[in-house]
Amino acid sequence: MSQTAEQNCFHCGLPVPPGADYAVEIRGEKRPMCCHGCQAVSQAIVDGGLVSFYDHRDGPSQRPEDLLPEQLQKLDLYDEDKLQQTFVEIDEDSLKSASLILEGITCAACVWLNERHVKALAGVVEFQVNYSTHRARVRWDDSQIHLSDILKAISAIGYIAHPFDASRQEAIYKKERRAALKRLAVAGLGAMQVMMLAVPLYGMEGDAGFDPEMRTFLRWISMLLATPVVFYAAKSFFVTAWKDLKRRQLGMDVPVALAIGAAYTASVWSTIYDGPDVYFDSVCMFAFFLLSSRFLEMGARHRAGQAAEELIRLIPAVATRLVNGREDIVAVDELRPGDTVLVKPGETIPIDGHVLEGVSSVDESLLTGESLPMLKKVGDDLTGGSVNVESPLTLCVDRVGEDTVVSGIVRLLDRAQTEKPSMARLADQVAAWFVGVILLIAGAVAFWWWQHDPMHAFAITLSVLVVTCPCALSLATPVAITAATGTLTRLGLLTTRGHALETLSKITHIVFDKTGTLTEGRLRLSAVHCLADEDEQQLKALAALLESRSEHPVAQVLARSATAMSATIESLQATPGKGIEAVIDGRVYRIGNLDYVAELAGMPSAYPSQNNRSTLVGLCREDQWLAVFELNDTLREQAVDVVGQLQSAGLQVELLSGDAQSAVASVADQLGISRWHAGQKPEDKLNRIRQIQQSGGVVAMIGDGVNDAPVLSGADVSFAMGSGTQLAHASADLVLLSENLRHLLSGFNMARDTVKIIRQNLGWALGYNLLALPLAASGMIAPWMAALGMSTSSLVVVVNALRLRRK
Amino acid sequence: METLYLLIPIAAFLVVVAVGLFLWSIKSGQFEDLEGPGFKILMDDDKDMIPDDARLPEKNSPKKNRENVK
């Protein structure tokens, strides 16, 4: 079947390389596929009778990674009992269950496909995918099927699954979430019912002919309903308040607990001794509103934590240990310092160590964000989590377990997440003052009325406490932030810290990290310089053939840029860090870096080699130069436009990059950025940010590598790209999942609107309090009016905040 | 008005039932994934359950050989 160049792969949506002939018959029609991987996956889907996946999915699927037979074999290791101890549970029916992280889920149809496909396997009892978290739970009968078969089945349809230890974090989150939901349910339903009963109670106040018995009856029922709300749902407020008091601090929860406690006690007293007023409705409503905002906050925190959990998948579960020259596959946990480990090309380095034998390129992009692999020789340090690209390496283990770099990063992350950002601390301090003042005023009011009119002293003091209750004040900020966060999340800008929007509205400087933020972080063939009398297409095909067996990213770019020409390679030798030498038709070819090629070609290249904006690859046949290929990292489509708009909004845009001078200059030039620094190490970047901060600037940093993690946390507010490393996600305040730089602008605008709304809300809440306080203190407001006023005030705040959702 | 003495306790009892149901649904995991199930009902995976003679003729689908055709 002939194909035109514009065709896109039916499965993954990437363009089909010219001349490729992978097609799958779907519903009687031949559909083009870009590669063998897509073809295999698509065929598996069709054979499984799951074609309607293609009707329901939202967009193209992820291009499946070609799993080599050896890698598939590695999955068998997950069946070892020793390894399973960490993540498999066995229940009373001797069924096994495990939690999996699923990669590649892009829409609900993916969930459907996975569930249908895996459930159809004999021996799988249960398989459930959680669409929100991309986690799956599988239960299987080990006598019929093994875990490795399930993992293989998932990879056959183009997804990747890793078992993980759910007890570490997932189980805790689940428990927290369930407990919070239960409290919310009790408070919500209780509040609704009590408020309904409060309406006739308020109505009776003015009615001379009311029935006192009915009033008592309604109060008793209200008390019955409010009791679980206070003692179960609102328990957490009392606990935190008590903890605060024990540490001699005044937190926001202290007046909350005091108001709820006092109002409830007074209402109970009124109910029993037929006192003047009950406030059960205010108590329940108050508890419900506060619990709702805390619940939403918890959701955001959990999402950030899950990103950190995914870091663990950086480290493989098993390693090949060499004992007296014999290969022995063991769990990574069993490795001890001094052990010798073999890492084959394409494998992830399981642990920190140094090279004993071999030379190879190692891809550290997951840890450093550097897109090109680093050359490692004997004696060089290796970091667990990086990928060996070219040739086998033997390494000596230096550090294990908690001492490894990745473990250290995970620990740092845990700490960063538990620490409160400075803005939140400030808010707490202000709240403490506010609370102190309220308590003093309430005390003074109580004292004064006790002297003059002891009969009404309690009711009036309570009015003061309820009316000044920081409800609207404490809702003003979280509600606006939650509404704005929701809107931004729909755009693909995930907010992981509550303070992010507040700080974002104040920034004066934006600092970009070049790699992967302004550029796509992916090399592309940008030019071919033909040095011999040969056709460009021909040369590209030759290069594709020579590079087809190499794992090096540069080689991969060339291998994919054209269809390999059909010829037999008689012998092939790869020199790590340099290039490839091959014999075709009895003639020697070399492809690789310019010096390496010049060694064979003899004469210096006719092409000027001092251009280091781009990566250059030379190609020669014996002593004749054939071509120089120029590879470039391309700018993101929207970069120029977005940078221009940020500058016209009055922000200072800077570029700090670890790349070489000329490369950075070129990017800065194209984007119109006048301030840039090249060759920056993470410490330099951090220093530069400190420098700006000292001169009074507020910095937003946009980065993507793990090496950016300290810089990202050093900046006032930070963005990570969605394709960036998990660690960068976790240390950033916002994650740009959509990869669309335009949404940065939406973020800034939304931040400004949010702060405007927060100001309005705070203004309203404070104005209301200042107006109501003297009225309440002078005894002109009955507690029920205070409660009503407080609820109205909160409602105004919430409705105002919800305006942010519509934008 | 006396009927309120009956109706309000009934209402209160219903609240208790509602809370009970809510707690049960939380416990049975219905709030774990708030996005997925909404999509799930849209997926047609019940085609096989439609009797052959009631099926709409499909335009571009090849005739599938079903094992249990009578």
Side-chain angles (χ1 to χ4, degrees):
Chain A
M1 185 172 156
S2 70
Q3 283 164 355
T4 50
E6 303 96 70
Q7 253 177 332
N8 286 339
C9 176
F10 186 71
H11 184 74
C12 72
L14 293 176
V16 175
D21 187 19
Y22 303 108
V24 173
E25 197 176 297
I26 297 173
R27 293 220 174 104
E29 243 176 274
K30 262 194 184 294
R31 302 290 192 175
M33 297 285 158
C34 69
C35 60
H36 186 70
C38 287
Q39 186 191 28
V41 164
S42 187
Q43 194 63 53
I45 292 172
V46 174
D47 293 347
L50 302 169
V51 183
S52 47
F53 165 68
Y54 289 113
D55 303 336
H56 294 298
R57 62 176 183 172
D58 291 352
S61 311
Q62 217 170 56
R63 183 185 174 138
E65 279 175 41
D66 272 333
L67 279 183
L68 305 168
E70 294 153 31
Q71 278 168 304
L72 282 175
Q73 219 172 27
K74 279 235 149 155
L75 292 177
D76 289 341
L77 291 163
Y78 283 120
D79 296 337
E80 304 263 341
D81 285 340
K82 241 190 278 170
L83 196 61
Q84 286 198 349
Q85 273 172 10
T86 53
F87 58 83
V88 167
E89 291 160 36
I90 303 177
D91 63 10
E92 59 270 26
D93 305 326
S94 65
L95 293 175
K96 288 186 171 182
S97 56
S99 297
L100 309 174
I101 294 177
L102 272 183
E103 280 181 58
I105 300 273
T106 53
C107 63
C110 300
V111 173
W112 175 83
L113 179 63
N114 272 292
E115 287 191 349
R116 291 272 300 183
H117 185 68
V118 175
K119 273 185 195 157
L121 301 170
V124 174
V125 182
E126 198 186 312
F127 184 74
Q128 229 172 17
V129 180
N130 186 327
Y131 179 49
S132 322
T133 57
H134 297 185
R135 304 290 159 92
R137 186 91 193 139
V138 60
R139 233 148 68 92
W140 74 98
D141 180 356
D142 213 43
S143 61
Q144 289 185 51
I145 193 167
H146 293 302
L147 181 59
S148 60
D149 300 323
I150 299 171
L151 299 180
K152 280 177 203 165
I154 294 173
S155 69
I157 48 169
Y159 301 86
I160 304 171
H162 317 270
F164 74 106
D165 183 7
S167 63
R168 201 185 90 93
Q169 191 189 55
E170 188 95 336
I172 300 168
Y173 280 0
K174 214 181 221 175
K175 231 168 95 188
E176 246 182 56
R177 191 178 145 85
R178 283 188 178 182
L181 267 171
K182 279 185 199 164
R183 284 199 296 267
L184 204 57
V186 171
L189 289 167
M192 272 188 241
Q193 202 61 26
V194 173
M195 277 193 265
M196 200 182 82
L197 294 178
V199 175
L201 277 175
Y202 287 143
M204 284 174 184
E205 294 290 334
D207 189 355
F210 75 93
D211 178 4
E213 254 176 59
M214 175 60 78
R215 193 176 72 170
T216 315
F217 173 70
L218 288 178
R219 284 179 174 186
W220 275 98
I221 296 279
S222 300
M223 187 172 90
L224 208 70
L225 290 163
T227 305
V229 176
V230 171
F231 288 99
Y232 175 71
K235 201 178 106 193
S236 57
F237 299 122
F238 293 112
V239 173
T240 342
W242 177 241
K243 273 191 202 149
D244 277 352
L245 287 178
K246 266 206 300 203
R247 278 183 290 146
R248 290 162 198 282
Q249 281 173 345
L250 281 178
M252 207 64 167
D253 278 354
V254 174
V256 169
L258 202 70
I260 293 179
Y264 179 75
T265 318
S267 307
V268 170
W269 182 85
S270 272
T271 308
I272 296 171
Y273 297 104
D274 200 23
D277 287 293
V278 294
Y279 323 101
F280 292 120
D281 53 329
S282 336
V283 171
C284 295
M285 200 160 49
F286 190 26
F288 176 64
F289 279 142
L290 281 176
L291 284 171
S292 318
S293 65
R294 303 252 162 120
F295 178 71
L296 294 171
E297 208 182 299
M298 184 190 72
R301 196 160 44 79
H302 284 184
R303 240 179 336 207
Q306 272 157 356
E309 176 90 11
E310 269 150 37
L311 255 187
I312 292 166
R313 79 177 170 83
L314 288 179
I315 301 291
V318 291
T320 316
R321 183 164 61 187
L322 290 176
V323 184
N324 303 327
R326 203 164 45 84
E327 290 181 19
D328 185 16
I329 290 176
V330 295
V332 169
D333 290 344
E334 288 177 43
L335 292 175
R336 293 287 163 264
D339 281 355
T340 314
V341 172
L342 177 73
V343 186
K344 291 174 190 154
E347 283 184 359
T348 304
I349 294 169
I351 205 145
D352 293 4
H354 62 268
V355 184
L356 282 181
E357 225 180 280
V359 178
S360 179
S361 304
V362 172
D363 180 0
E364 295 184 329
S365 62
L366 274 170
L367 294 163
T368 63
E370 228 29 81
S371 50
L372 290 178
M374 309 289 287
L375 186 69
K376 297 284 181 182
K377 301 186 296 290
V378 174
D380 284 351
D381 281 334
L382 295 169
T383 313
S386 44
V387 180
N388 182 12
V389 178
E390 280 172 332
S391 59
L393 282 175
T394 311
L395 70 96
C396 174
V397 179
D398 290 337
R399 289 179 298 270
V400 294
E402 294 289 293
D403 302 330
T404 58
V405 173
V406 171
S407 301
I409 290 170
V410 172
R411 262 203 313 280
L412 256 179
L413 222 66
D414 283 347
R415 206 185 64 198
Q417 278 171 1
T418 48
E419 270 174 12
K420 277 193 176 174
S422 53
M423 288 294 289
R425 276 206 301 273
L426 189 73
D428 277 359
Q429 279 166 11
V430 172
W433 275 100
F434 185 78
V435 169
V437 170
I438 289 177
L439 293 181
L440 278 178
I441 293 176
V445 167
F447 181 74
W448 196 86
W449 281 96
W450 190 254
Q451 303 286 319
H452 294 84
D453 185 3
M455 273 291 285
H456 291 111
F458 184 79
I460 290 170
T461 311
L462 203 63
S463 290
V464 170
L465 265 181
V466 171
V467 110
T468 54
C469 168
C471 190
L473 207 60
S474 60
L475 274 175
T477 314
V479 167
I481 285 182
T482 312
T485 308
T487 313
L488 288 178
T489 307
R490 274 200 298 275
L491 285 178
L493 187 62
L494 188 69
T495 321
T496 58
R497 302 276 198 291
H499 80 98
L501 287 170
E502 229 169 311
T503 321
L504 194 56
S505 68
K506 291 187 211 134
I507 56 160
T508 52
H509 289 68
I510 298 179
V511 178
F512 282 98
D513 167 40
K514 197 210 75 168
T515 338
T517 51
L518 290 168
T519 60
E520 296 193 336
R522 225 183 1 220
L523 286 175
R524 274 192 199 163
L525 182 61
S526 55
V528 182
H529 304 274
C530 303
L531 303 173
D533 192 20
E534 292 207 30
D535 178 39
E536 188 181 310
Q537 273 306 323
Q538 200 81 33
L539 289 170
K540 273 161 79 176
L542 176 63
L545 172 70
L546 290 169
E547 300 279 38
S548 60
R549 295 194 201 167
S550 173
E551 296 267 347
H552 197 284
V554 171
Q556 293 275 310
V557 173
L558 285 172
R560 291 220 177 111
S561 63
T563 312
M565 76 192 249
S566 47
T568 349
I569 297 179
E570 283 153 33
S571 79
L572 188 135
Q573 197 200 347
T575 315
K578 291 185 169 175
I580 288 171
E581 186 178 286
V583 181
I584 300 171
D585 286 337
R587 305 181 78 173
V588 184
Y589 289 82
R590 264 193 185 190
I591 188 162
N593 72 31
L594 298 182
D595 295 338
Y596 174 73
V597 175
E599 274 172 38
L600 179 72
M603 56 177 188
S605 142
Y607 185 77
S609 60
Q610 67 266 28
N611 175 354
N612 46 7
R613 268 181 211 181
S614 32
T615 308
L616 299 177
V617 178
L619 172 66
C620 74
R621 183 198 303 122
E622 287 167 352
D623 59 356
Q624 188 194 8
W625 277 87
L626 293 178
V628 172
F629 298 97
E630 199 177 321
L631 283 81
N632 257 323
D633 195 358
T634 41
L635 280 180
R636 275 179 206 269
E637 245 176 70
Q638 331 88 1
V640 178
D641 195 24
V642 169
V643 168
Q645 286 197 41
L646 289 173
Q647 279 170 334
S648 61
L651 297 168
Q652 296 271 4
V653 181
E654 278 195 38
L655 191 60
L656 293 182
S657 174
D659 293 349
Q661 190 90 10
S662 52
V664 181
S666 144
V667 171
D669 190 43
Q670 286 177 61
L671 293 172
I673 299 175
S674 53
R675 288 163 185 243
W676 51 269
H677 298 268
Q680 300 272 301
K681 286 199 265 313
E683 303 91 82
D684 301 333
K685 293 185 187 176
L686 196 56
N687 283 339
R688 174 69 195 135
I689 285 177
R690 291 270 146 80
Q691 208 183 327
I692 301 173
Q693 283 169 338
Q694 265 158 25
S695 62
V698 181
V699 185
M701 172 87 195
I702 298 145
D704 68 342
V706 169
N707 59 344
D708 286 330
V711 192
L712 289 179
S713 14
D716 296 284
V717 60
S718 51
F719 289 83
M721 301 308 271
S723 63
T725 56
Q726 294 292 346
L727 180 68
H729 285 187
S731 45
D733 302 314
L734 296 125
V735 180
L736 192 57
L737 290 176
S738 64
E739 298 266 307
N740 187 340
L741 286 176
R742 260 178 236 296
H743 292 154
L744 277 184
L745 288 172
S746 321
F748 291 123
N749 294 335
M750 183 57 89
R752 293 200 167 155
D753 288 345
T754 310
V755 169
K756 207 163 76 195
I757 296 264
I758 290 176
R759 289 223 180 100
Q760 287 169 359
N761 278 353
L762 287 176
W764 165 267
L766 279 175
Y768 156 80
N769 273 354
L770 287 179
L771 190 79
L773 181 64
L775 290 176
S778 59
M780 287 168 73
I781 294 184
W784 69 271
M785 285 155 75
L788 212 65
M790 181 211 73
S791 325
T792 319
S793 156
S794 315
L795 209 65
V796 168
V797 164
V798 172
V799 171
N800 190 30
L802 288 182
R803 290 195 299 148
L804 287 168
R805 299 219 98 167
R806 258 181 248 140
K807 292 188 181 171
Chain B
M1 283 295 265
E2 275 66 40
T3 177
L4 281 178
Y5 288 105
L6 178 69
L7 289 177
I8 289 176
I10 289 178
F13 173 72
L14 286 177
V15 172
V16 174
V17 172
V19 169
L21 283 173
F22 210 103
L23 295 187
W24 166 78
S25 65
I26 292 168
K27 213 176 158 195
S28 65
Q30 295 181 34
F31 286 86
E32 307 282 298
D33 183 2
L34 295 176
E35 290 166 73
F39 290 103
K40 227 168 255 180
I41 54 161
L42 297 175
M43 308 285 171
D44 297 333
D45 49 3
D46 51 1
K47 268 189 191 147
D48 294 344
M49 289 149 106
I50 304 171
D52 279 346
D53 48 2
R55 285 186 186 203
L56 291 173
E58 275 183 53
K59 270 185 290 178
N60 45 9
S61 161
K63 273 160 225 136
K64 256 198 206 161
N65 288 326
R66 286 171 17 96
E67 299 132 347
N68 54 350
V69 181
K70 280 168 196 162

